[in-house]
Amino acid sequence: MCIRDRLLGNDSCIIYMQTPYWWKIAQDIKAVLGDDCLFIYEVLDNYRFLLPHRKIVEMHEQSLIHADRIVCTTRLMLGDVIGEAHIEKTTVVPNACDYSIFGSASLWDTRPQYPVIGYIGVMQEWMDWDILTSLLREPVTLELYGTEYEMPEMFRPYYGGIASWSELPEIMSHWSVGIIPHIITPLTNYADHIKLYEYMAVGLPVVMTGTAANKAKRDEIAGYACDQRILTIADGCDFGEACIHQSKIDDRDKRMLRKRWAKAQTWDARHRQILSEVFTPFIIR
């Protein structure tokens, strides 16, 4: 994405690149415009993990070298994914949620006979289907929404398809717990899940597997709320028990704490951070 004139008020150009596939085009534009062009690379994934796709890894490395500024979603990326050589030009900008949509939902006050455990998002190779299989042995109801790839047949009865953003708050309002049941890999370890922010905006208790990024986010939110119980890390056979426990101890105060945290984590807030910490130094230099 190139931004000209309207933001900068001159002939300067900002290139904002979110995947390394375009780095050569970005480099060519910068070669023509020189110092009047700011090249920003937003690192979305741990591309160094994609070793079978060596070309992607090479494009990622070239993007890191040639970018004027780098943006990533979690501090965990600074060492292994970004690299020590590029930390000084990197700004950490976490993900966020559209609070105006998800914050409008109100969880039901009446507890269902069996906790309703819900998931929204892409279901691909990172899904821990073994954990979900064990979850089904518990007295719970499971609901899955989102794009699915090779979903095991046993989960088809629990699959609600792809829901629009406008539909999701109503769907989530009758859930007891929102889950992030991902296997732990070098890819998921660095993922800052947007669904976590959306769950929190609704007020849902959250149970997540113990990736490094999930643990860091748990500690951040618990520190904000001064309450370790508003979301939980669990793995293996403990996952289902954690979901049931979270549904039992949830109350209105915890819901309000979650919503209050999410209300500060909006895309507008992230845009302001990028403008002030990434764009503005270039504009006023």
Side-chain angles (χ1 to χ4, degrees):
M1 176 179 68
C2 286
I3 307 171
R4 300 194 62 146
D5 296 330
R6 185 166 62 88
L7 175 63
L8 303 177
N10 53 36
D11 290 332
S12 298
C13 171
I14 291 176
I15 302 170
Y16 199 97
M17 187 181 77
Q18 291 185 301
T19 62
Y21 312 113
W22 306 106
W23 85 268
K24 191 65 172 67
I25 295 175
Q27 185 187 37
D28 290 344
I29 295 173
K30 185 163 178 62
V32 173
L33 297 178
D35 291 339
D36 288 328
C37 179
L38 176 67
F39 174 22
I40 302 170
Y41 173 37
E42 181 176 5
V43 182
L44 299 178
D45 286 305
N46 179 11
Y47 294 107
R48 287 175 171 167
F49 170 65
L50 303 175
L51 294 178
H53 306 285
R54 189 62 211 173
K55 191 65 177 176
I56 297 177
V57 178
E58 291 173 0
M59 289 187 288
H60 168 67
E61 300 294 343
Q62 289 297 321
S63 300
L64 292 174
I65 292 170
H66 293 283
D68 297 304
R69 295 286 297 174
I70 299 168
V71 173
C72 65
T73 56
T74 171
R75 293 190 178 279
L76 296 170
M77 284 187 169
L78 293 177
D80 296 335
V81 182
I82 306 296
E84 295 289 336
H86 309 297
I87 287 179
E88 286 190 7
K89 62 179 181 180
T90 300
T91 301
V92 178
V93 182
N95 276 321
C97 68
D98 193 330
Y99 189 83
S100 63
I101 293 177
F102 291 91
S104 65
S106 296
L107 294 178
W108 291 4
D109 288 327
T110 304
R111 296 181 187 271
Q113 180 179 4
Y114 301 112
V116 182
I117 313 301
Y119 174 88
I120 57 171
V122 178
M123 288 165 272
Q124 211 161 343
E125 68 269 12
W126 47 73
M127 290 293 286
D128 193 330
W129 296 111
D130 289 339
I131 274 183
L132 291 181
T133 300
S134 66
L135 179 62
L136 290 178
R137 300 190 187 106
E138 304 288 346
V140 301
T141 300
L142 178 65
E143 294 186 8
L144 306 172
Y145 289 88
T147 306
E148 59 86 14
Y149 298 89
E150 299 181 356
M151 174 187 288
E153 202 60 35
M154 67 177 293
F155 291 100
R156 292 286 172 191
Y158 311 100
Y159 179 51
I162 300 174
S164 68
W165 270 20
S166 61
E167 296 172 316
L168 282 173
E170 176 62 27
I171 290 170
M172 296 163 69
S173 67
H174 71 271
W175 288 359
S176 308
V177 177
I179 57 172
I180 305 178
H182 293 170
I183 59 175
I184 300 173
T185 71
L187 189 65
T188 60
N189 249 335
Y190 298 94
D192 184 36
H193 302 289
I194 295 175
K195 63 178 64 61
L196 169 62
Y197 297 82
E198 294 168 347
Y199 291 160
M200 296 285 282
V202 173
L204 281 168
V206 182
V207 177
M208 314 179 287
T209 47
T211 68
N214 285 351
K215 289 179 178 178
K217 189 62 67 175
R218 184 268 317 271
D219 293 344
E220 172 195 329
I221 296 172
Y224 167 87
C226 299
D227 190 341
Q228 287 276 356
R229 299 170 299 170
I230 66 172
L231 75 167
T232 298
I233 298 291
D235 293 289
C237 60
D238 295 332
F239 197 88
E241 293 179 5
C243 289
I244 293 174
H245 180 66
Q246 279 290 309
S247 70
K248 287 180 178 178
I249 67 170
D250 188 37
D251 56 37
R252 185 175 293 275
D253 288 342
K254 293 185 182 65
R255 294 177 185 180
M256 295 309 299
L257 275 173
R258 298 182 192 105
K259 292 175 79 73
R260 193 179 308 142
W261 177 83
K263 191 174 183 179
Q265 318 299 319
T266 64
W267 294 115
D268 283 344
R270 302 300 186 245
H271 295 161
R272 289 194 295 271
Q273 182 187 357
I274 291 175
L275 281 172
S276 65
E277 298 181 20
V278 182
F279 287 5
T280 301
F282 169 71
I283 295 170
I284 66 175
R285 77 194 195 286

